[in-house]
Amino acid sequence: MSFAKNECQQLTLEDSMFSLTPRERRMLEKSWAKPFAEKIFPLINEENFSVLYSDKASRPNTPVNVIVGGMVLEELMGLTDEEFMDSLLFDIRFQYALHTTSFKEQPVSDRTFSRFRRRCLTYETETGIDLIHDTVKELSGEMAALMKLNDRMKRMDSLMVASNIRKLGRIELLYTCVADLVSFLHRTGMDDLLGGMEHYYDPNDYNQVIYHSKSEDASDRIKQILADADKLLAECEGACDESSAYQLLVRVLKEQTVVEESGTRRLKTKEDGAMGSQILQNPSDPDATYREKAGKQNRGYTANIVETVESMEKTEEPTVLITDGAYSGRDNTNAAAEKNIDLVTTDLTGREAKDIAADFEFTEDGKKVIRCPAGNTPKSCNYINQTGQCRISFPKNKCENCPHRDQCNPKMFNRTSVVFLSKKSSDRAKTQRKMKTEKYKELSRIRNGVETIPSILRRKYQIDHMPVRGLLPTKLRFGIKLAALNFKKLFGYLNSVGQCALIPQIS
């Protein structure tokens, strides 16, 4: 299939628009279809997607702008692919929005979207380039320009997009990984490697092992599953290394178990160290991660919503990025400063630093104090690698009558006084001071608007119930949903309905 731009966008004598009555035309032009047709559809850059098609002469592709625009409308209306197809065939608003009123037959079938998504995902897997992300980003910038938004002020929040998987206990997870590899060996005709584990591909075996066994037998079941896993690894090594089922079994054993000096494998305990958020949650979706927030357990993908109109490249003028306390910290602040971004956090996590710490002057690397709040130079200053603190020593007489003594609270010795302090605490104290200013209070109020975005995405756009699994398919759907949300905001702005928030994008 070769790439061709959509040139069939002019009205013809047979255009269905000519059959509308004046009243019907007025109603159509008052609907969402008119701004979509005039403001959004012409901005979809078809050339971005030319790489998905052959450069040889062959049957031309379905118009890309119709496909991308259709996917946005599908998410805007909460439709399935089949429901969108029905709407496009019988609802002139959809045809008007996508410039297809002159088509003798609508150019989309019930499989057009799924095939296009597959092409985009295959291309991203091979090249790492997300064409949908780039297109949504372009559209967001254009919509923000239409709404005359402040491109020097950005605000950010994070949310967890739930994966379409079931929560598995540790026994279920291990059993499923073993059973998947056994089923793979059976399907590929390598039954000689099973060695008595044929029961794993029996459909009834899962319920028998997981649900119908006595709870007091759990320890024995785990031992048997782990023994079978070790046996499979030994039998399949070299023969199934490229199999995803084999790789997932290796991964889950590495994450969930330890091998003792005796050679016995057992489940990890708290004493063996905490398991990270990236561990396998379910073999059906190896990319899903884990996060616990506000007492709720979440399995899926973390998304950063940045209400912005520009990419995060270095700019000539500083950009203000307003976030919550989760993004506070010296590393994030420095990383933002490298791109000429002023990172503003409206809250801080952890303990509050002593206010006086802000008045200590450190070297850039944070390993030496130049002077204290009273302007005194330390007698000595030693950096402690283990804690990241400086042991700052002053002559005793400098601190005895110092007006800041009660705030610094130094340890007094015969000849010296000592203060322990880190540059991290000093920077934190400076941030705390800034947060009490009227400017920061105003920025905090500005950021509150972004808190509504996750709620809208969950309630209206059902981001926790997407019919896909895996990071890339989820990211693709999520991007289209953001484009639909942005158009909803633009439509409200054009109709002068309330105040319109900044345009969200994926970071």
Side-chain angles (χ1 to χ4, degrees):
M1 183 179 292
S2 62
F3 174 77
K5 293 190 67 175
N6 181 12
E7 304 293 350
C8 303
Q9 299 182 34
Q10 301 299 320
L11 296 180
T12 67
L13 293 176
E14 298 178 350
D15 196 288
S16 57
M17 292 287 291
F18 293 127
S19 64
L20 298 178
T21 65
R23 180 169 180 261
E24 290 171 337
R25 182 180 287 273
R26 287 195 303 271
M27 295 294 290
L28 177 62
E29 292 184 349
K30 287 182 181 179
S31 73
W32 52 264
K34 182 178 176 65
F36 193 94
E38 295 181 352
K39 306 294 186 183
I40 304 302
F41 187 82
L43 298 176
I44 299 173
N45 188 351
E46 294 182 278
E47 292 289 349
N48 288 350
F49 299 91
S50 61
V51 294
L52 302 180
Y53 302 95
S54 172
D55 54 0
K56 298 180 181 179
S58 59
R59 180 170 61 88
N61 61 291
T62 301
V64 171
N65 49 9
V66 173
I67 297 175
V68 175
M71 292 195 298
V72 174
L73 291 179
E74 179 181 90
E75 296 295 349
L76 182 68
M77 305 301 175
L79 305 175
T80 63
D81 290 356
E82 292 77 13
E83 290 169 340
F84 172 81
M85 184 64 191
D86 293 340
S87 298
L88 183 61
L89 290 175
F90 303 111
D91 191 333
I92 196 171
R93 293 176 300 176
F94 285 80
Q95 298 174 18
Y96 180 47
L98 298 176
H99 293 215
T100 61
T101 52
S102 292
F103 282 60
K104 291 184 178 180
E105 185 175 347
Q106 293 304 311
V108 177
S109 72
D110 57 352
R111 298 191 64 186
T112 300
F113 287 176
S114 60
R115 288 169 177 162
F116 184 77
R117 295 187 195 104
R118 192 179 306 116
R119 285 176 180 267
C120 291
L121 294 174
T122 301
Y123 183 77
E124 183 175 2
T125 300
E126 294 174 350
T127 66
I129 300 174
D130 187 349
L131 298 176
I132 293 295
H133 175 278
D134 295 343
T135 299
V136 171
K137 198 170 184 178
E138 290 177 9
L139 291 176
S140 298
E142 296 290 348
M143 283 187 270
L146 290 171
M147 296 164 66
K148 301 177 181 178
L149 298 178
N150 182 2
D151 61 358
R152 305 252 59 83
M153 184 76 69
K154 308 170 190 290
R155 55 193 185 188
M156 181 167 66
D157 196 14
S158 64
L159 71 155
M160 195 76 170
V161 180
S163 174
N164 184 24
I165 57 174
R166 188 168 64 87
K167 176 184 176 181
L168 297 180
R170 298 179 78 180
I171 296 180
E172 289 180 280
L173 180 60
L174 289 163
Y175 176 92
T176 302
C177 289
V178 171
D180 286 349
L181 182 53
V182 169
S183 298
F184 169 78
L185 295 175
H186 178 61
R187 290 195 310 271
T188 53
M190 290 188 282
D191 294 78
D192 56 310
L193 301 179
L194 297 181
M197 288 180 278
E198 292 80 3
H199 63 92
Y200 278 102
Y201 61 76
D202 182 348
N204 298 318
D205 189 62
Y206 179 87
N207 288 336
Q208 184 64 38
V209 173
I210 303 300
Y211 299 117
H212 297 166
S213 300
K214 297 179 180 180
S215 58
E216 54 266 25
D217 297 334
S219 178
D220 293 335
R221 281 180 286 161
I222 292 174
K223 289 179 181 179
Q224 185 59 54
I225 293 172
L226 294 180
D228 291 340
D230 282 331
K231 184 177 179 181
L232 276 175
L233 290 184
E235 293 289 343
C236 297
E237 186 176 6
C240 306
D241 291 354
E242 300 301 319
S243 163
S244 61
Y246 176 81
Q247 293 172 358
L248 287 175
L249 180 58
V250 172
R251 174 183 170 184
V252 76
L253 290 176
K254 182 179 180 180
E255 294 172 346
Q256 297 281 350
T257 68
V258 294
V259 179
E260 297 179 326
E261 293 182 0
S262 61
T264 305
R265 187 183 295 275
R266 62 170 175 81
L267 292 180
K268 282 185 177 180
T269 62
K270 291 182 179 179
E271 288 71 23
D272 297 311
M275 290 180 281
S277 61
Q278 304 297 318
I279 64 172
L280 183 67
Q281 304 296 313
N282 189 312
S284 300
D285 191 350
D287 298 323
T289 60
Y290 173 84
R291 185 173 77 165
E292 186 169 344
K293 185 176 182 180
K296 295 183 179 180
Q297 296 180 348
N298 301 283
R299 290 168 177 81
Y301 314 95
T302 300
N304 288 326
I305 300 296
V306 182
E307 289 190 315
T308 182
V309 297
E310 292 183 340
S311 64
M312 288 305 212
E313 300 301 325
K314 186 171 182 178
T315 57
E316 295 301 323
E317 299 179 22
T319 298
V320 178
L321 178 60
I322 316 171
T323 69
D324 60 15
Y327 297 91
S328 63
R330 183 181 173 189
D331 292 341
N332 287 339
T333 301
N334 292 341
E338 290 177 0
K339 294 185 177 181
N340 204 15
I341 296 171
D342 181 11
L343 180 63
V344 177
T345 54
T346 58
D347 194 9
L348 293 174
T349 57
R351 292 189 304 172
E352 185 174 348
K354 293 191 296 184
D355 182 69
I356 194 65
D359 296 324
F360 281 81
E361 187 177 343
F362 281 78
T363 57
E364 186 63 29
D365 59 8
K367 295 185 177 182
K368 186 177 181 181
V369 172
I370 300 173
R371 60 180 58 86
C372 74
N376 297 317
T377 301
K379 179 181 178 181
S380 64
C381 182
N382 299 316
Y383 182 73
I384 306 172
N385 286 313
Q386 292 84 348
T387 62
Q389 290 183 315
C390 289
R391 184 184 185 277
I392 315 158
S393 176
F394 297 92
K396 186 175 181 180
N397 64 340
K398 295 289 186 181
C399 293
E400 281 182 325
N401 300 315
C402 178
H404 304 293
R405 176 178 174 179
D406 291 340
Q407 293 173 279
C408 294
N409 193 25
K411 293 183 178 180
M412 307 299 289
F413 298 94
N414 290 336
R415 296 181 180 180
T416 62
S417 56
V418 176
V419 175
F420 289 87
L421 186 66
S422 66
K423 189 175 189 303
K424 183 177 179 180
S425 295
S426 180
D427 291 341
R428 187 181 184 85
K430 292 176 182 177
T431 302
Q432 290 170 183
R433 283 186 181 178
K434 288 182 181 180
M435 290 171 57
K436 294 176 182 178
T437 64
E438 286 301 319
K439 175 186 175 182
Y440 262 63
K441 290 178 181 178
E442 178 61 26
L443 291 174
S444 180
R445 287 190 287 270
I446 290 174
R447 188 197 167 273
N448 289 340
V450 77
E451 298 282 0
T452 65
I453 301 299
S455 177
I456 294 172
L457 289 171
R458 295 189 195 285
R459 291 183 292 103
K460 170 67 176 174
Y461 297 95
Q462 301 293 306
I463 61 169
D464 290 328
H465 303 283
M466 289 186 275
V468 292
R469 289 176 180 168
L471 176 59
L472 298 187
T474 300
K475 185 156 64 81
L476 185 151
R477 296 266 185 160
F478 186 74
I480 295 296
K481 289 177 185 292
L482 277 186
L485 172 60
N486 288 342
F487 172 69
K488 185 73 172 178
K489 289 177 176 289
L490 176 64
F491 183 59
Y493 171 82
L494 295 175
N495 285 281
S496 300
V497 180
Q499 295 294 320
C500 211
L502 297 173
I503 293 292
Q505 292 185 1
I506 314 170
S507 70

